[in-house]
C-alpha cells in the first residue's frame, strides 16, 4: 500500500487510517534530554506533565493540519498503541496533537519556533 484515498501511508504499512486519525512513530526520538546547563536527564525521570514528539507515518482522510513526515507534539497520556509489522506506533486523533514542528525558516507558517 503506497497511499490511501484522502490519507497517506508510509513504508507500505498494512493499514488505512479513517476519519481524523493520525498514526505516529516515536522511533528515533531522543529518550534522554539535556538541561540548559548540559546535565543529562534520563528518560525515566518524570518532570510534571511533559509532552512528547513523534513523526506522522499515516493520516486519515479528514486530517487537515498535518501530513506524513511532519513532527508533532502530543500528550503521551492520551494515546493508544498498536503494533504493525513488529514495530510500535501510536494512534491519535488530530485534535489530540498540540503542535507541528516548523523549520527555522518557516516560523511565519505556524507562529511558533519549536
Amino acid at each position: 500500500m503506497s497511499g490511501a484515498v484522502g490519507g497517506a501511508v508510509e513504508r507500505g504499512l498494512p493499514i488505512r487510517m479513517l476519519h481524523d486519525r493520525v498514526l505516529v512513530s516515536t522511533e528515533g526520538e531522543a529518550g534522554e534530554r539535556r538541561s540548559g546547563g548540559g546535565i543529562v536527564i534520563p528518560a525515566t525521570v518524570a518532570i510534571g506533565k511533559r509532552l512528547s514528539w513523534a513523526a506522522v507515518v499515516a493520516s486519515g482522510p479528514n486530517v487537515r493540519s498535518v501530513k506524513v513526515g511532519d513532527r508533532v507534539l502530543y500528550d503521551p497520556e492520551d494515546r493508544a498503541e498498536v503494533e504493525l509489522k513488529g514495530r510500535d506506533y501510536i494512534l491519535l486523533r488530530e485534535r489530540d496533537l498540540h503542535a507541528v514542528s516548523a523549520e527555522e525558516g518557516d516560523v511565519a507558517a505556524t507562529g511558533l519556533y519549536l
Side-chain angles (χ1 to χ4, degrees):
M1 207 183 226
S2 62
V5 176
V9 177
E10 182 183 271
R11 292 186 226 109
L13 293 175
I15 193 168
R16 182 170 52 104
M17 304 304 293
L18 300 175
H19 310 294
D20 67 339
R21 302 305 195 271
V22 178
L23 189 70
V24 298
S25 171
T26 58
E27 187 172 295
E29 295 296 326
E32 291 183 342
R33 52 193 184 272
R34 292 190 178 270
S35 71
I39 298 170
V40 175
I41 303 169
T44 56
V45 174
I47 302 176
K49 186 170 181 171
R50 186 167 184 92
L51 300 177
S52 297
W53 288 102
V56 176
V57 296
S59 62
N62 296 335
V63 174
R64 298 179 183 177
S65 303
V66 297
K67 61 186 180 304
V68 171
D70 282 348
R71 195 164 172 246
V72 295
L73 192 61
Y74 72 98
D75 184 350
E77 293 179 10
D78 299 332
R79 67 183 191 174
E81 294 183 17
V82 63
E83 184 179 327
L84 297 169
K85 291 190 172 183
R87 290 186 51 198
D88 291 327
Y89 296 94
I90 298 169
L91 181 63
L92 302 163
R93 288 179 177 253
E94 184 179 23
R95 70 179 182 207
D96 294 333
L97 301 177
H98 294 276
V100 179
S101 177
E103 298 294 326
E104 282 189 52
D106 195 22
V107 175
T110 61
L112 300 171
Y113 173 70
L114 306 173

